[in-house]
PDB file of all heavy atoms in Angstrom:
ATOM      1  N   GLN F   6      -0.115  37.526  -5.521  1.00 44.00           N
ATOM      2  CA  GLN F   6       0.350  36.914  -4.254  1.00 44.00           C
ATOM      3  C   GLN F   6       1.517  36.071  -4.523  1.00 44.00           C
ATOM      4  O   GLN F   6       1.538  35.201  -5.425  1.00 44.00           O
ATOM      5  CB  GLN F   6      -0.785  36.100  -3.625  1.00 44.00           C
ATOM      6  CG  GLN F   6      -1.892  36.916  -3.131  1.00 44.00           C
ATOM      7  CD  GLN F   6      -2.933  36.034  -2.399  1.00 44.00           C
ATOM      8  OE1 GLN F   6      -3.078  34.874  -2.784  1.00 44.00           O
ATOM      9  NE2 GLN F   6      -3.514  36.544  -1.417  1.00 44.00           N
ATOM     10  N   LYS F  13      -4.978  23.192  -1.764  1.00 83.00           N
ATOM     11  CA  LYS F  13      -4.079  22.493  -0.873  1.00 83.00           C
ATOM     12  C   LYS F  13      -4.914  21.395  -0.171  1.00 83.00           C
ATOM     13  O   LYS F  13      -6.096  21.546  -0.012  1.00 83.00           O
ATOM     14  CB  LYS F  13      -3.536  23.434   0.182  1.00 83.00           C
ATOM     15  CG  LYS F  13      -2.711  24.539  -0.426  1.00 83.00           C
ATOM     16  CD  LYS F  13      -2.342  25.559   0.673  1.00 83.00           C
ATOM     17  CE  LYS F  13      -1.528  26.613   0.013  1.00 83.00           C
ATOM     18  NZ  LYS F  13      -1.920  27.952   0.510  1.00 83.00           N
ATOM     19  N   LYS F  69       3.397  19.206  -5.141  1.00 87.00           N
ATOM     20  CA  LYS F  69       4.564  19.637  -4.354  1.00 87.00           C
ATOM     21  C   LYS F  69       4.161  19.694  -2.841  1.00 87.00           C
ATOM     22  O   LYS F  69       3.072  20.048  -2.439  1.00 87.00           O
ATOM     23  CB  LYS F  69       4.930  21.084  -4.757  1.00 87.00           C
ATOM     24  CG  LYS F  69       6.128  21.677  -4.020  1.00 87.00           C
ATOM     25  CD  LYS F  69       6.392  23.078  -4.509  1.00 87.00           C
ATOM     26  CE  LYS F  69       7.531  23.654  -3.693  1.00 87.00           C
ATOM     27  NZ  LYS F  69       7.870  25.043  -4.025  1.00 87.00           N
ATOM     28  N   GLU F 123      -6.451  -2.189 -12.402  1.00 95.00           N
ATOM     29  CA  GLU F 123      -5.946  -1.495 -11.255  1.00 95.00           C
ATOM     30  C   GLU F 123      -4.552  -2.075 -10.822  1.00 95.00           C
ATOM     31  O   GLU F 123      -3.777  -1.451 -10.139  1.00 95.00           O
ATOM     32  CB  GLU F 123      -6.870  -1.575 -10.029  1.00 95.00           C
ATOM     33  CG  GLU F 123      -8.171  -0.875 -10.273  1.00 95.00           C
ATOM     34  CD  GLU F 123      -9.053  -0.959  -9.007  1.00 95.00           C
ATOM     35  OE1 GLU F 123      -8.558  -0.650  -7.900  1.00 95.00           O
ATOM     36  OE2 GLU F 123     -10.270  -1.289  -9.216  1.00 95.00           O
TER      37      GLU F 123
END
Side-chain angles (χ1 to χ4, degrees):
Q6 288 184 329
K13 299 173 184 139
K69 181 179 177 186
E123 294 181 48

